[in-house]
Amino acid sequence: MAKIGMLVLASVIVTGLTVPAADAAPVFNVKSYGAVGNGSTNDDDAIDKAINAANAAGGGVVDFPPGRYRSRTIHLKSNVTLNLNAGATLLAAGSGMDNAEPNEWDEYQDYGHSHFRNALISGENVENIAFTGAGTIDGDDKLITGDPKQGQADKALSLKYCRNLRFQDITFRRGGHFAILINGCTGVRMYDTKILSADDRDAFNIINTSDVEIARSRIEASDDAVVFKSDYALGRTFPTEKAVVRDSTILSTENNALQFGSETCGAFRDIQFRNLDVTGAGKAGIGIVSMDGATIENITYDNIKLSKTASAIFMHVGKRSRCPGNPPAGKIRDITLKHITGTNLTTPRDVAGDDEYSATITGRTDSPIENITLDNVALDFPGGHPASDADRVPPENSTAYPPRTFGVRPAYAFWVRHARNVMFLNSAVGFQKSDGRPAFLADDTTGLTVDRVRMQRSTGSWDVTFRKSSGQQVTGSTTTPGGGSPRVRVQ
């Protein structure tokens, strides 16, 4: 009988009667606290009351039945789940939002990164927070994308210092400058979630945050879609580490899809991207920039499909040093890219600069990019450039980071400069239109390897060019059509 009793406690249905599990969290219906849900009445006071009640009870679910809940700033507290049922939409109000708090460190990052309270939903020093349900959190074109004035908000969700944050099945729409911005957090899980901000700005900014998993989600932005950053908005940095982004679809209509930076004060390490479909990027599909002294290392990309990306792969070490103490140039090292495919590699929308750029790996003379492995990479570039473009020398630029900074590259596939131990293995590169540039051009590199790579034959004189480089090797590689050996030039 004892065993049967235990089963009854944990069961879902017993003799037609629903029996909650023994540890089920209490539910706090926002309408019980005065929410109307008519789309015009501001319901934030009622929602805050429900949150306070759930927090005071030691934790609970703040439940939104179907309806349209107009709201000014909502204030999260620990041990609270916001559950929006199907047909429930939380809508941003156009005025009356909390004002941005002062920040003595705001000189080190843009305004939007420096302030947290001017949001539809905000929380500080909170833990065990969740957003669940089939409903929607919608900025409703009321969240702005520039610097907000008094009473305006620029974020759908903003969290400063958080622990154990979960998203499940929820949708964010029209998020303003940032659909979700988190800083100084740990233990973040996002499953089966949609962030739809392709006509706004950033989708998900993950800043100074560790222990992250994003899976089975659809994330769309106009600016950066899934971006890891480390700024100085908290007056310190935390390592950004132990994260995985997997089994999802990512789009940036005008900027970067999968990105590190540009805010890069603290370290980044041990981060994986796998089984991803990048359906567009106006800048980089896969982007890594270290601008403010950060070391970015032990990063893996596996099974990434790229399309409609202006720059399929872009890595750059600069020296903007927008952090206290004027830090030296950072480092990018120990990066592995495998099973990467790319087609239709042009921007999905009209953007500043050109519509397409060759894949780029460019460090600095005092901080070369190191230990990069590209294995089973197949990229089909637009091509169409004359042989004269092979003589281009892109500018050295330490303070800017967009791919357009370097202009037309002197190679149609990969341009590599100031780098050590870069390996291209078991790969294939080609173009849609005849191109007179070599497939690969390496400038100031040491130990660059091209092994078992099939490259479409340039219409110019060379297929691989090395400038001021040493220790390079081209082995087991062929050109198409015809299967001949690549024409290699050493300058």
Side-chain angles (χ1 to χ4, degrees):
M1 291 297 295
K3 184 175 181 180
I4 294 175
M6 291 174 63
L7 290 173
V8 169
L9 281 174
S11 67
V12 177
I13 299 176
V14 178
T15 63
L17 179 67
T18 300
V19 179
D23 59 349
V27 175
F28 301 82
N29 188 318
V30 294
K31 288 194 171 182
S32 299
Y33 292 85
V36 178
N38 63 7
S40 57
T41 302
N42 285 330
D43 287 325
D44 47 279
D45 288 341
I47 296 167
D48 274 349
K49 288 178 182 178
I51 289 172
N52 292 338
N55 173 261
V61 176
V62 173
D63 195 60
F64 292 75
R68 293 171 61 81
Y69 301 88
R70 184 70 62 183
S71 182
R72 296 162 298 193
T73 300
I74 295 167
H75 307 92
L76 284 177
K77 293 191 175 180
S78 294
N79 306 312
V80 172
T81 293
L82 298 189
N83 182 69
L84 280 76
N85 291 279
T89 303
L90 179 64
L91 297 162
S95 62
M97 296 290 190
D98 286 2
N99 294 325
E101 73 279 23
N103 187 342
E104 62 180 303
W105 310 106
D106 61 4
E107 67 182 284
Y108 297 113
Q109 55 280 318
D110 294 341
Y111 186 94
H113 290 83
S114 298
H115 306 280
F116 300 87
R117 296 177 185 171
N118 51 329
L120 171 57
I121 307 170
S122 73
E124 301 179 18
N125 295 296
V126 292
E127 61 181 4
N128 306 324
I129 296 295
F131 297 85
T132 64
T136 301
I137 297 170
D138 192 342
D140 198 28
D141 294 328
K142 302 296 192 297
L143 302 175
I144 70 166
T145 58
D147 294 349
K149 299 176 182 179
Q150 187 171 8
Q152 292 181 323
D154 65 350
K155 308 168 184 72
L157 171 63
S158 172
L159 296 175
K160 172 183 175 182
Y161 294 122
C162 66
R163 187 165 67 90
N164 297 338
L165 168 65
R166 182 170 62 90
F167 303 90
Q168 180 73 56
D169 301 316
I170 197 81
T171 295
F172 287 80
R173 188 184 300 273
R174 294 183 287 191
H177 193 156
F178 305 94
I180 304 174
L181 182 146
I182 61 175
N183 199 329
C185 296
T186 184
V188 179
R189 301 290 180 265
M190 176 177 282
Y191 303 127
D192 305 295
T193 294
K194 296 185 181 76
I195 305 176
L196 306 177
S197 277
D199 294 311
D200 301 285
R201 285 190 66 177
D202 290 25
F204 195 4
N205 272 230
I206 305 158
I207 308 174
N208 294 315
T209 291
S210 63
D211 186 16
V212 177
E213 183 179 19
I214 300 170
R216 304 185 305 273
S217 293
R218 174 183 164 195
I219 300 176
E220 299 179 353
S222 166
D223 208 318
D224 296 331
V226 176
V227 55
F228 292 89
K229 299 180 179 179
S230 177
D231 61 23
Y232 212 74
L234 304 181
R236 60 164 294 184
T237 64
F238 299 85
T240 297
E241 60 185 352
K242 297 179 181 176
V244 59
V245 183
R246 64 177 179 85
D247 303 298
S248 297
T249 300
I250 314 295
L251 165 69
S252 170
T253 55
E254 300 179 22
N255 286 276
N256 305 294
L258 306 172
Q259 177 73 359
F260 288 89
S262 69
E263 291 77 12
T264 44
C265 291
F268 303 79
R269 55 181 176 253
D270 302 329
I271 298 174
Q272 301 177 30
F273 301 85
R274 62 177 189 263
N275 306 329
L276 300 175
D277 190 1
V278 175
T279 59
K283 291 180 183 174
I286 295 173
I288 306 176
V289 300
S290 177
M291 298 300 299
D292 305 311
T295 294
I296 304 175
E297 61 187 344
N298 296 333
I299 313 299
T300 300
Y301 300 84
D302 187 3
N303 191 26
I304 313 296
K305 297 179 181 178
L306 304 169
S307 64
K308 297 183 181 178
T309 64
S311 184
I313 298 166
F314 181 75
M315 303 183 198
H316 173 50
V317 176
K319 191 180 181 300
R320 181 178 58 182
S321 301
R322 195 166 64 163
C323 303
N326 188 31
K331 297 182 181 299
I332 296 175
R333 62 192 182 196
D334 302 327
I335 313 296
T336 300
L337 301 96
K338 54 187 179 180
H339 305 112
I340 312 295
T341 61
T343 57
N344 194 14
L345 297 177
T346 60
T347 179
R349 287 188 184 175
D350 188 30
V351 295
D354 295 338
D355 290 342
E356 53 85 15
Y357 298 102
S358 308
T360 296
I361 300 171
T362 178
R364 291 168 48 90
T365 55
D366 60 350
S367 186
I369 293 177
E370 299 180 287
N371 305 331
I372 310 298
T373 300
L374 299 102
D375 188 359
N376 275 286
V377 173
L379 301 177
D380 191 17
F381 294 90
H385 289 258
S388 58
D389 281 347
D391 297 324
R392 287 180 177 264
V393 179
E396 300 277 359
N397 195 319
S398 287
T399 58
Y401 53 88
R404 65 176 179 271
T405 297
F406 300 100
V408 175
R409 285 29 165 192
Y412 77 74
F414 280 90
W415 172 59
V416 184
R417 183 171 67 181
H418 308 320
R420 298 174 182 164
N421 302 326
V422 177
M423 296 192 297
F424 299 93
L425 310 174
N426 307 302
S427 296
V429 296
F431 45 70
Q432 290 291 305
K433 296 180 181 179
S434 296
D435 201 296
R437 299 170 295 172
F440 297 88
L441 189 144
D443 190 350
D444 184 29
T445 65
T446 302
L448 188 144
T449 296
V450 178
D451 182 39
R452 289 161 291 158
V453 174
R454 187 175 70 256
M455 60 194 81
Q456 195 160 351
R457 193 175 182 86
S458 168
T459 58
S461 301
W462 309 102
D463 300 305
V464 182
T465 295
F466 295 97
R467 295 175 180 165
K468 301 177 182 178
S469 298
S470 63
Q472 61 268 8
Q473 56 180 334
V474 180
T475 56
S477 297
T478 57
T479 60
T480 59
S485 296
R487 299 163 295 168
V488 179
R489 174 172 61 167
V490 180
Q491 296 179 301

